[in-house]
Amino acid sequence: MEFAELIKTPRVDNVVLHRPFMPTVEGTLCLTGHHLILSSRQDSTEELWLLHSNIDSIEKRFMGSLGTIIVKCKDLRIIQLDIPGMEECLNIASSIEALSTLDSVSLMYPFFYRPMFEVIEDGWNTFLPEHAFKQIETLTDEWRLSSVNKDFTVCPSYPPLVAVPKFIDDDTLRKVATFRHAGRFPVLSYYHKKNGMVMMRAGQPLTGTNGRRCKEDEKLINATLRAGKRGYIIDTRTINVAQQAKARGGGFEQEAHYPQWRRIHKAIERFGILQESLIKLVEACNDQSHNMDRWLSKLEASNWLTHVKEILTTACLAAQCIDREGASVLVHGTEGTDSTLQVTALAQIILDPGCRTIRGFQSLVEREWLQAGHQFQQRCAQSAFSNSKPRWEAPVFLLFLDCVWQILRQFPCSFQFNEHFLVLLFEHAYASQFGTFLGNNANERVKLKLPQKTVSLWSWVNRPQVEERFLNPLFEANSLVIWPSVAPQSLLLWEGVFLRWNRSSKCLDEAYEEMVHIIEYNKELQSKVNALRRQLAQLETEDGLLQTP
Amino acid sequence: MDYIRTPKVEQVKLLDRFSNKFTSGTLYLTATHLLFIEASDNNAQEIWILHHHIASVEKLSLTTSGCPLLIQCRNFRVVQFVVPRERDCHDVYSSLLRLLRPVSFNHLYAFSYNPKQKEQQREEGWQLIDLASEFERMGVPCDHWQLTDANRGYKICETYPQDLYVPISASKPIIVGSSKFRSKGRFPVLSYFYQEKKAAVCRCSQPLSGFSARCLEDEHMLQAISKTNPNSRFMYVMDTRPKLNALANRAAGKGYENEDNYSNIRFQFVGIENIHVMRASLQKLLEVLGSRALSVTDYLLGLESSGWLRHVKAVLDAAMVLTKAVTVEGASVLVHCSDGWDRTAQVCSLGALLMDPYYRTLKGFMVLIEKDWISFGHKFADRCDQLDGDPKEVSPVFTQFLECVWQLTEQFPQAFQYNEWFLIQIHEHVHSCQYGNFLGNCQREREELQLKEKTHSLWPALLDDQSHYLNPFYCPGYAETHPVLEPSTLPFHFKLWRNLYHQFDRTMHPRQSVLNTVLALREKSQELESTARALQAKLQQLDFSSLPGDGNSIPRESDPLARPQSLILDAPLSRKEEQEEGEEAGERRGQGGLPGSGGERTVEGSSSSENGYSELQQPFAKQEPQLVSLELGVAKMTC
């Protein structure tokens, strides 16, 4: 298909662009296959380059022959384009609509994007499962990498290599896979080197209404327990939801069959409810009524912070079982691709200082989200403004980022990356020139040949001059476990995402700059003083030499 | 003192407010403080509670482990002790009841507080703030405004200061006449003069207009004020009350200005609720914040139904209206409410803070409080319940003002020289009665109490400690680029002031503080600067010529490195804050391990939210009164 067919009017002059807290720009609007571009053709003013895939919905309005298009983006920005001429306006609107809702992944921009920078380190190879496992191998020999899923037949949503207990053979894994939702048999998610305890994740067991059991499943997870020790199964669903799942062939681990495990149910909501919550929250943030009571009740009604609290609470619980109780943990919900990953990834942020570095965090996103089979393509197809009824869309990853931001707020010196990095990941999960978040799992990524055909986000981020932007100047390595507070008073609305376009951030940005200056000045002074000291010491020894006869 | 029957009780438990944890220790009762000292070998926790800070003491019903004593403080500390023996508990309880409600000003802490200062120092302390020079700074007296002696000896208004500024054209009969037509005699006087546009912010109380009464002198007075401003043909009269309240006041012979009787005024209501609504609102807020295992839903709904943030927004909105009228339209504004000492003080002082960068400095903020709150007769004694008074007079009006300032500092992180601990410390001492500044209800009362002779002033103490109260992000140049602040009052800008209302609930706060970290860095930079200078001098001394032309130049004053123009940090930072990140300590203190049974657990219930992760930093504002601990000490306890 040619993009040109979809572009009815490629160019309109005298278009006026309105953006919140920015001066209006008048210029020429151009549509290309992947971008909406507005250029004033003056060097001084900024141009607008907007990816069609970033557009969530558009609205048209007419005043005489002046048409207005309101563009609502997936990154929650809302811009307005005043287009002279009704026909042009209609043409532009329908072209944008067509271009922003392309069905085929292979038509997405990442397949056409050619980087303007030299790829020094290919991000597609930076975080391979075998690399991550090498680290674990240096700590323990109780685990092995299995290639049972090398052709994605045992579990379509798992990567080709997964870490499993050493003494569980591939045949057993195949059997266990038939007992777990979508073949997601328990695999290693995290190894806590302080005490050798582990966190595993899986899909729900398919016990069904008649309480089916699977000896191999029991054997597999029991193989991770130390003699005489009990483990914890954290089911991210309430007991009621888990009970209901039985009717559809799902279920949970029966105490009788898993006597060495204690099951704890939490209440993280399913994806559909989360999407509804996002829509309500964004609506509340865009309400301009200036009424305090209305704002607070809408914020409450969105339930967003309740979800944040629930997810953080569950992650703390998992981390606590491992670090404080010295017990191993298995986490699952229904499919094991949403709430499960929120919990396992956040627990690692809490427990493992390595995950709080910028590379470590990338590796975590790669392991616990991309490789673990979170359906980015489906979940991030639409954001909060979409007019179409949500199908699979849900801000599962955004909620995870929000939770990380909450911890970052509480431990502002313990993370090597800053808030901008989290915002960047949010943006790129929804619309990007990079291929990283395309596809729903490793299998699809292989089929789409993403590593060959697209550029990885990590290739760009990890170039020193780019990485610098995302580094936290306050960072001081903190090797401790960091326990966040989950009291409602401690949780804040993530303004950097949800109010980003609704308030001027100038003052806050300037203050941040000032902080960076203070820190840099301190560092420079420190090195000056060191240099002076060296100089002095040198002079003194020379003096000493001169004076000794 | 004979109030204290049991000065010391051992094996008392201090319960954690939000979990089931507790610490054991000893409770001491002194003439001025209630003390709890944890029974621990190292790093024992100490809690000092000033009697004046205690708002209420309750004896709860007896439990198996002892008799619980619940103490709520005005600085939002809530503690619950469990005293093993009922008799001891009752002794402490009844002693406290008598100690915390002094009947006479002379029993307040300020009259016994002695920071070992020379008398001369003490006297100089009181001279730090001089309101006459403050009016001079604004450009008053001038060709339109003058100092009047009409209120010398508090002849026409008891609750005003003696020195007042009025239009030159307002003769004494006009002043006297106007004061007779105003509630409590509080006639229109100058609060702030916006030199740039010659616009004045004036304040007064409501007129005694009833349904139809009028007063020519009062009309003249307003006319005179209006005429001082050549830039505007009219002046605004801002009634800060909701219209309904003002209407109701008419029945009592009070009310508001009738636009028909006054030439060239524009009258408007701005709708800030009264002291009773504010008291109930904060009460409700504190109840919500105090609930255990609070859900997000209950928290947000509670925040909403308490109305607290709505009121805070209303006060700021009113200040914005005032500021816009003065700075944009160049019009003068007369502000009043009922008596003109609560809402009027809030709106006038916040308006001035938005208009004038001076009030965003440490010293300027002190001046602002002295002027609009202390001298104009905000009834601190009644509002803060300093003596055993009428509970209906108590109201968090000043707290609300401080919170409005805090909300502004959040929006303009570089505009204020002070940080939030400065505001919190002022809040602390408004209630502590440790310094003389806030005692009594008006200047006349303060003179009678001879506060300047018998007590100390808070301001020099705060200035001595200023390194803790400085905002490291403050940029003095901001005053020139943003002389007038234009905050947004969209609802989402208003946040709960956690560091005030949960000041003592350590687990709620970030475990690492950006503010403290950056303050410490600045302190370090200063040390490094002087080290560098010293090293440089030494080097030069050693051998000037033997310095080969190497790249390491030494920071001199002209060095491009020496940049921090942005902060007046001339006072040496005295205290190094502890930055130890002590998980080990935290673990020892906190964890009893997970409960052995029961399937369902919550993080709040068992540990991770309270998590025993010992606080990485102590907010320095919460430093306990050192002087007291040295002086009275545990050893010299009054028995």
Side-chain angles (χ1 to χ4, degrees):
Chain A
M1 187 189 64
E2 284 293 322
F3 293 114
E5 290 167 22
L6 299 173
I7 304 171
K8 291 181 185 156
T9 303
R11 229 190 91 162
V12 188
D13 289 325
N14 303 323
V15 173
V16 180
L17 165 70
H18 304 267
R19 284 175 289 186
F21 303 102
M22 289 169 101
T24 54
V25 180
E26 188 178 334
T28 304
L29 178 73
C30 299
L31 290 187
T32 73
H34 293 106
H35 284 96
L36 180 157
I37 303 160
L38 189 118
S39 164
S40 64
R41 300 184 188 238
Q42 279 160 357
D43 294 339
S44 53
T45 34
E46 209 188 318
E47 294 186 339
L48 173 77
W49 281 71
L50 189 67
L51 266 180
H52 293 316
S53 57
N54 191 2
I55 296 173
D56 211 21
S57 75
I58 60 169
E59 280 166 29
K60 302 175 287 252
R61 272 189 230 143
F62 292 97
M63 283 270 284
S65 68
L66 180 77
T68 293
I69 299 180
I70 307 217
V71 180
K72 298 184 173 179
C73 303
K74 289 176 188 163
D75 60 14
L76 309 181
R77 170 173 30 166
I78 299 176
I79 60 173
Q80 184 185 328
L81 296 164
D82 295 342
I83 299 170
M86 188 179 291
E87 199 192 328
E88 281 85 353
C89 183
L90 284 172
N91 283 346
I92 294 284
S94 66
S95 307
I96 297 177
E97 239 162 285
L99 290 164
S100 61
T101 52
L102 293 176
D103 275 337
S104 167
V105 182
S106 56
L107 290 176
M108 302 294 266
Y109 185 52
F111 289 95
F112 299 82
Y113 169 74
R114 289 295 156 260
M116 302 284 282
F117 57 89
E118 191 197 346
V119 176
I120 305 163
E121 182 188 359
D122 187 354
W124 288 113
N125 301 326
T126 311
F127 306 106
L128 298 174
E130 49 267 43
H131 292 170
F133 189 72
K134 277 224 175 76
Q135 264 203 316
I136 295 169
E137 261 183 326
T138 63
L139 304 165
T140 170
D141 57 357
E142 292 165 0
W143 295 82
R144 69 180 182 97
L145 264 191
S146 162
S147 54
V148 66
N149 197 40
K150 64 178 183 296
D151 45 11
F152 304 105
T153 48
V154 178
C155 172
S157 61
Y158 270 170
L161 291 173
V162 288
V164 294
K166 189 164 200 174
F167 299 107
I168 301 298
D169 58 28
D170 285 358
D171 282 337
T172 312
L173 292 177
R174 282 189 196 94
K175 281 187 192 132
V176 176
T178 62
F179 180 67
R180 290 277 172 178
H181 191 108
R184 295 178 67 91
F185 55 88
V187 294
L188 179 70
S189 160
Y190 171 67
Y191 181 87
H192 195 45
K193 71 176 169 206
K194 186 167 130 192
N195 58 11
M197 292 301 131
V198 296
M199 179 161 59
M200 291 173 292
R201 51 180 159 74
Q204 66 177 342
L206 304 175
T207 53
T209 37
N210 45 17
R212 210 178 125 214
R213 68 185 284 195
C214 170
K215 289 260 170 62
E216 290 80 5
D217 188 74
E218 293 156 25
K219 184 177 150 202
L220 190 161
I221 72 166
N222 287 340
T224 67
L225 293 176
R226 300 271 155 84
K229 276 279 199 177
R230 305 227 302 175
Y232 289 89
I233 294 172
I234 297 178
D235 192 327
T236 61
R237 308 162 293 179
T238 60
I239 179 74
N240 285 338
V241 175
Q243 287 280 11
Q244 285 157 18
K246 283 186 181 171
R248 290 185 297 274
F252 51 85
E253 295 82 357
Q254 300 290 338
E255 284 86 350
H257 304 151
Y258 298 86
Q260 286 165 280
W261 294 82
R262 182 182 304 146
R263 207 179 62 247
I264 302 170
H265 289 275
K266 299 300 289 182
I268 301 180
E269 292 289 356
R270 294 269 290 161
F271 63 88
I273 289 174
L274 302 182
Q275 179 69 5
E276 207 178 295
S277 172
L278 174 69
I279 291 169
K280 282 187 184 164
L281 174 68
V282 171
E283 213 241 271
C285 293
N286 287 315
D287 178 2
Q288 299 284 331
S289 72
H290 293 239
N291 179 320
M292 182 61 75
D293 288 3
R294 195 156 136 179
W295 157 246
L296 287 172
S297 74
K298 280 186 153 189
L299 180 61
E300 186 280 317
S302 80
N303 273 327
W304 184 264
L305 288 171
T306 301
H307 300 314
V308 168
K309 181 175 155 83
E310 202 56 55
I311 294 165
L312 270 176
T313 305
T314 311
C316 286
L317 173 69
Q320 218 179 332
C321 292
I322 293 169
D323 187 65
R324 293 271 159 86
E325 277 288 88
S328 286
V329 172
L330 169 67
V331 184
H332 70 74
T334 305
E335 297 88 351
T337 53
D338 294 309
S339 57
T340 305
L341 305 183
Q342 289 171 329
V343 173
T344 55
L346 280 169
Q348 292 179 55
I349 295 275
I350 294 167
L351 293 171
D352 182 5
C355 293
R356 297 173 224 143
T357 64
I358 190 161
R359 287 294 183 106
F361 191 69
Q362 291 167 27
S363 165
L364 181 76
V365 168
E366 189 72 39
R367 271 184 286 125
E368 290 300 305
W369 291 92
L370 293 160
Q371 301 283 345
H374 176 67
Q375 292 123 308
F376 279 99
Q377 186 88 37
Q378 289 187 349
R379 295 288 182 255
C380 301
Q382 303 286 344
S383 159
F385 297 119
S386 171
N387 296 319
S388 52
K389 199 167 173 286
R391 285 160 303 171
W392 309 107
E393 291 80 5
V396 177
F397 185 61
L398 175 58
L399 266 164
F400 160 71
L401 294 176
D402 195 330
C403 292
V404 176
W405 178 80
Q406 305 283 352
I407 307 178
L408 173 67
R409 279 286 303 218
Q410 297 187 24
F411 296 87
C413 307
S414 299
F415 288 80
Q416 193 193 12
F417 53 88
N418 58 21
E419 175 179 359
H420 301 310
F421 189 58
L422 297 173
V423 177
L424 176 92
L425 293 184
F426 157 61
E427 289 173 335
H428 283 272
Y430 279 85
S432 177
Q433 66 269 44
F434 301 108
T436 300
F437 292 105
L438 291 183
N440 287 310
N441 50 50
N443 188 6
E444 284 186 25
R445 267 174 226 117
V446 168
K447 283 188 189 146
L448 288 166
K449 296 203 168 61
L450 292 180
Q452 293 80 32
K453 292 185 170 173
T454 72
V455 181
S456 161
L457 173 63
W458 315 133
S459 302
W460 177 71
V461 166
N462 288 329
R463 296 162 65 244
Q465 59 271 51
V466 178
E467 190 185 51
E468 203 181 348
R469 273 187 253 166
F470 302 116
L471 292 179
N472 174 10
L474 290 167
F475 177 59
E476 266 181 62
N478 169 4
S479 61
L480 305 173
V481 175
I482 53 175
W483 299 107
S485 160
V486 295
Q489 295 96 316
S490 305
L491 302 177
L492 298 171
L493 178 69
W494 190 6
E495 296 184 18
V497 164
F498 298 109
L499 300 177
R500 185 178 177 192
W501 314 102
N502 306 20
R503 52 152 195 171
S504 161
S505 64
K506 197 169 155 279
C507 296
L508 303 178
D509 293 345
E510 285 168 358
Y512 184 83
E513 282 304 309
E514 178 65 20
M515 180 180 81
V516 173
H517 283 314
I518 292 171
I519 294 165
E520 274 170 6
Y521 176 65
N522 180 269
K523 278 189 191 143
E524 281 174 52
L525 265 180
Q526 186 68 63
S527 59
K528 287 270 164 182
V529 165
N530 290 347
L532 281 172
R533 283 219 172 95
R534 274 198 305 276
Q535 228 174 17
L536 192 64
Q538 210 177 359
L539 269 180
E540 274 169 343
T541 41
E542 279 171 19
D543 265 14
L545 286 176
L546 284 177
Q547 275 155 23
T548 34
Chain B
M1 219 186 287
D2 25 316
Y3 288 159
I4 301 170
R5 263 186 279 177
T6 310
K8 178 178 172 186
V9 188
E10 281 175 334
Q11 287 176 324
V12 172
K13 280 184 197 159
L14 170 68
L15 303 188
D16 186 279
R17 201 174 161 202
F18 296 104
S19 73
N20 298 321
K21 284 185 290 190
F22 62 86
T23 40
S24 302
T26 310
L27 198 63
Y28 298 92
L29 198 54
T30 79
T32 54
H33 287 81
L34 177 70
L35 253 104
F36 176 81
I37 297 177
E38 191 190 350
S40 160
D41 297 336
N42 48 4
N43 230 340
Q45 183 193 1
E46 279 183 29
I47 293 179
W48 290 71
I49 299 172
L50 194 63
H51 297 328
H52 297 313
H53 269 148
I54 298 177
S56 73
V57 192
E58 259 178 280
K59 236 174 80 183
L60 306 179
S61 48
L62 205 66
T63 66
T64 45
S65 55
C67 188
L69 196 62
L70 180 68
I71 296 175
Q72 310 206 32
C73 300
R74 298 185 208 287
N75 55 5
F76 309 114
R77 190 200 279 277
V78 178
V79 284
Q80 188 174 340
F81 296 113
V82 178
V83 183
R85 288 198 309 168
E86 209 265 333
R87 215 199 52 180
D88 290 337
C89 183
H90 188 77
D91 280 354
V92 174
Y93 171 73
S94 44
S95 304
L96 280 178
L97 274 192
R98 303 177 69 177
L99 287 165
L100 67 88
R101 292 253 179 273
V103 279
S104 128
F105 279 111
N106 297 321
H107 291 150
L108 292 178
Y109 186 31
F111 291 94
S112 58
Y113 175 65
N114 178 9
K116 294 259 153 65
Q117 242 179 19
K118 287 212 183 84
E119 180 56 17
Q120 191 196 350
Q121 253 180 310
R122 197 192 61 76
E123 279 167 16
E124 279 168 9
W126 280 109
Q127 285 150 19
L128 186 70
I129 309 281
D130 173 23
L131 291 184
S133 54
E134 167 57 10
F135 278 95
E136 230 166 81
R137 190 192 65 86
M138 294 177 205
V140 176
C142 60
D143 47 359
H144 288 295
W145 292 91
Q146 67 177 3
L147 180 67
T148 174
D149 58 3
N151 203 36
R152 284 286 144 79
Y154 304 101
K155 272 197 299 268
I156 52 177
C157 177
E158 289 202 334
T159 58
Y160 265 171
Q162 304 203 53
D163 291 347
L164 291 164
Y165 295 83
V166 293
I168 285 181
S169 58
S171 63
K172 207 166 250 176
I174 289 181
I175 295 175
V176 173
S178 169
S179 83
K180 286 191 175 138
F181 187 63
R182 294 277 168 180
S183 196
K184 308 275 194 313
R186 294 169 68 91
F187 59 99
V189 294
L190 184 71
S191 161
Y192 178 71
F193 187 62
Y194 189 66
Q195 225 171 343
E196 200 183 310
K197 301 234 163 135
K198 304 258 175 277
V201 177
C202 296
R203 53 185 292 172
C204 61
S205 60
Q206 63 185 339
L208 305 176
S209 53
F211 290 99
S212 59
R214 53 189 288 188
C215 166
L216 286 177
E217 288 93 337
D218 193 61
E219 289 160 25
H220 273 133
M221 187 72 185
L222 265 64
Q223 177 93 18
I225 292 172
S226 184
K227 287 255 169 73
T228 59
N229 183 348
N231 295 320
S232 178
R233 287 184 301 102
F234 63 89
M235 72 184 277
Y236 285 103
V237 175
M238 245 174 97
D239 190 326
T240 56
R241 300 168 291 181
K243 188 172 183 186
L244 212 62
N245 301 23
L247 282 173
N249 262 302
R250 292 204 301 189
K254 299 163 187 171
Y256 56 93
E257 291 81 358
N258 183 341
E259 266 183 330
D260 299 337
N261 297 342
Y262 294 83
S263 46
N264 304 323
I265 68 161
R266 292 193 186 173
F267 182 86
Q268 77 180 101
F269 292 108
V270 290
I272 303 172
E273 298 289 350
N274 65 23
I275 57 165
H276 311 293
V277 174
M278 299 307 185
R279 178 180 56 242
S281 171
L282 183 61
Q283 188 55 43
K284 181 85 206 288
L285 177 75
L286 295 177
E287 270 166 35
V288 171
L289 297 183
S291 13
R292 274 181 166 215
L294 185 63
S295 72
V296 174
T297 295
D298 290 340
Y299 166 66
L300 290 174
L301 289 180
L303 209 55
E304 183 203 330
S305 69
S306 77
W308 182 252
L309 288 178
R310 187 178 72 225
H311 299 313
V312 169
K313 174 171 150 56
V315 174
L316 255 183
D317 274 329
M320 292 270 290
V321 171
L322 170 66
T323 306
K324 281 215 175 105
V326 173
T327 60
V328 180
E329 293 183 59
S332 294
V333 184
L334 175 65
V335 183
H336 72 72
C337 47
S338 297
D339 290 318
W341 51 43
D342 293 313
R343 290 169 270 203
T344 303
Q346 288 179 326
V347 174
C348 288
S349 54
L350 280 169
L353 187 86
L354 291 173
M355 286 183 241
D356 193 335
Y358 176 61
Y359 299 125
R360 296 170 223 146
T361 63
L362 278 169
K363 176 88 184 290
F365 194 64
M366 299 172 182
V367 168
L368 186 67
I369 291 174
E370 279 286 344
K371 175 170 72 76
D372 274 313
W373 292 87
I374 297 175
S375 92
F376 277 119
H378 174 68
K379 301 201 291 174
F380 278 106
D382 288 357
R383 298 291 178 260
C384 304
D385 207 11
Q386 289 169 356
L387 298 183
D388 196 5
D390 179 359
K392 285 213 176 95
E393 283 285 313
V394 180
S395 186
V397 176
F398 187 73
T399 305
Q400 200 166 45
F401 159 71
L402 290 177
E403 174 165 343
C404 288
V405 178
W406 176 76
Q407 302 279 1
L408 290 174
T409 62
E410 285 285 287
Q411 268 192 56
F412 301 100
Q414 292 192 276
F416 293 82
Q417 195 192 8
Y418 38 89
N419 64 37
E420 68 176 313
W421 295 113
F422 182 60
L423 304 174
I424 292 172
Q425 194 69 354
I426 291 173
H427 182 267
E428 179 91 358
H429 286 300
V430 162
H431 293 94
S432 73
C433 302
Q434 184 174 343
Y435 296 93
N437 309 61
F438 302 104
L439 301 192
N441 281 324
C442 58
Q443 293 298 55
R444 205 180 71 107
E445 226 173 278
R446 285 182 200 110
E447 276 171 27
E448 279 166 12
L449 289 169
Q450 294 178 294
L451 293 176
K452 291 196 177 176
E453 288 77 46
K454 293 182 177 169
T455 71
H456 290 78
S457 167
L458 168 66
W459 310 127
L462 288 182
L463 279 183
D464 283 348
D465 254 358
Q466 64 172 297
S467 53
H468 303 131
Y469 305 130
L470 288 175
N471 169 15
F473 307 117
Y474 174 57
C475 165
Y478 209 83
E480 277 134 52
T481 51
H482 303 72
V484 178
L485 294 185
E486 294 168 59
S488 160
T489 57
L490 283 170
F492 53 63
H493 285 291
F494 293 85
K495 283 164 238 161
L496 174 78
W497 191 3
R498 195 175 51 202
N499 278 342
L500 180 67
Y501 302 112
H502 281 301
Q503 209 182 147
F504 299 93
D505 305 314
R506 302 191 314 171
T507 54
M508 298 260 178
H509 301 287
R511 305 309 152 88
Q512 295 169 326
S513 145
V514 175
L515 176 67
N516 294 0
T517 311
V518 177
L519 272 176
L521 266 180
R522 293 209 80 129
E523 183 188 353
K524 243 196 230 156
S525 289
Q526 283 209 314
E527 282 166 21
L528 285 171
E529 274 170 7
S530 61
T531 314
R533 272 194 296 275
L535 285 171
Q536 178 198 28
K538 235 184 190 173
L539 270 170
Q540 273 178 337
Q541 219 177 13
L542 259 180
D543 191 354
F544 195 76
S545 57
S546 82
L547 265 175
D550 69 334
N552 289 320
S553 70
I554 300 141
R556 287 162 215 268
E557 286 187 37
S558 60
D559 195 288
L561 256 183
R563 59 174 300 285
Q565 284 288 322
S566 55
L567 188 62
I568 311 148
L569 247 176
D570 30 27
L573 294 167
S574 56
R575 204 174 328 151
K576 264 211 135 169
E577 34 166 70
E578 291 160 69
Q579 287 232 23
E580 256 114 65
E581 310 187 346
E583 200 208 3
E584 307 330 310
E587 280 198 41
R588 250 183 287 119
R589 187 176 305 178
Q591 283 311 298
L594 293 179
S597 61
E600 183 108 2
R601 293 171 309 167
T602 60
V603 173
E604 299 91 69
S606 50
S607 58
S608 179
S609 68
E610 295 84 27
N611 75 36
Y613 186 97
S614 82
E615 195 173 34
L616 297 184
Q617 284 127 342
Q618 296 278 348
F620 30 63
K622 282 336 300 147
Q623 197 223 355
E624 304 294 353
Q626 289 175 319
L627 291 160
V628 178
S629 68
L630 288 175
E631 227 181 291
L632 293 169
V634 184
K636 278 179 76 182
M637 205 80 57
T638 16
C639 296

